[in-house]
Amino acid sequence: MSKKNKAYYEDLFVKHLLEVGVKTWCKSYDMGYYYYCFWLLNGEQRFWTNMSEKHIEEIEENAKKNNKK
């Protein structure tokens, strides 16, 4: 997948996460890659590899907002 395509699909993925709402998430590192796991308010569990810092910040804000409710 080219970087342009990955950025496009990452945008769609994050849009979905933010629309549904992130309950919590975690990050791990192995063999040069960052792996992310997201638990959403509707019960979904979603995964992504090597996400941009911009999107991580958006997801963090969303999770904090959702956990204050």
Side-chain angles (χ1 to χ4, degrees), residues 19-67:
E19 285 175 355
V20 172
V22 178
K23 184 175 182 180
T24 190
W25 63 282
C26 68
K27 173 173 99 173
S28 64
Y29 179 81
D30 187 39
M31 298 274 211
Y33 297 99
Y34 287 98
Y35 298 95
Y36 298 88
C37 179
F38 304 96
W39 290 272
L40 307 184
L41 295 175
N42 68 357
E44 285 181 65
Q45 185 178 13
R46 305 294 299 265
F47 303 91
W48 198 265
T49 304
N50 294 333
M51 186 170 284
S52 71
E53 282 299 315
K54 174 189 147 204
H55 284 137
I56 291 298
E57 290 171 6
E58 291 176 20
I59 290 165
E60 263 184 347
E61 287 177 32
N62 185 268
K64 286 178 186 176
K65 181 182 83 175
N66 291 329
N67 288 316

Side-chain angles (χ1 to χ4, degrees), residues 1-13 48:
M1 182 182 317
S2 72
K3 286 187 178 188
K4 184 177 179 180
N5 283 341
K6 185 172 188 322
Y8 172 76
Y9 287 110
E10 183 176 312
D11 285 341
L12 291 178
F13 179 78
W48 198 265

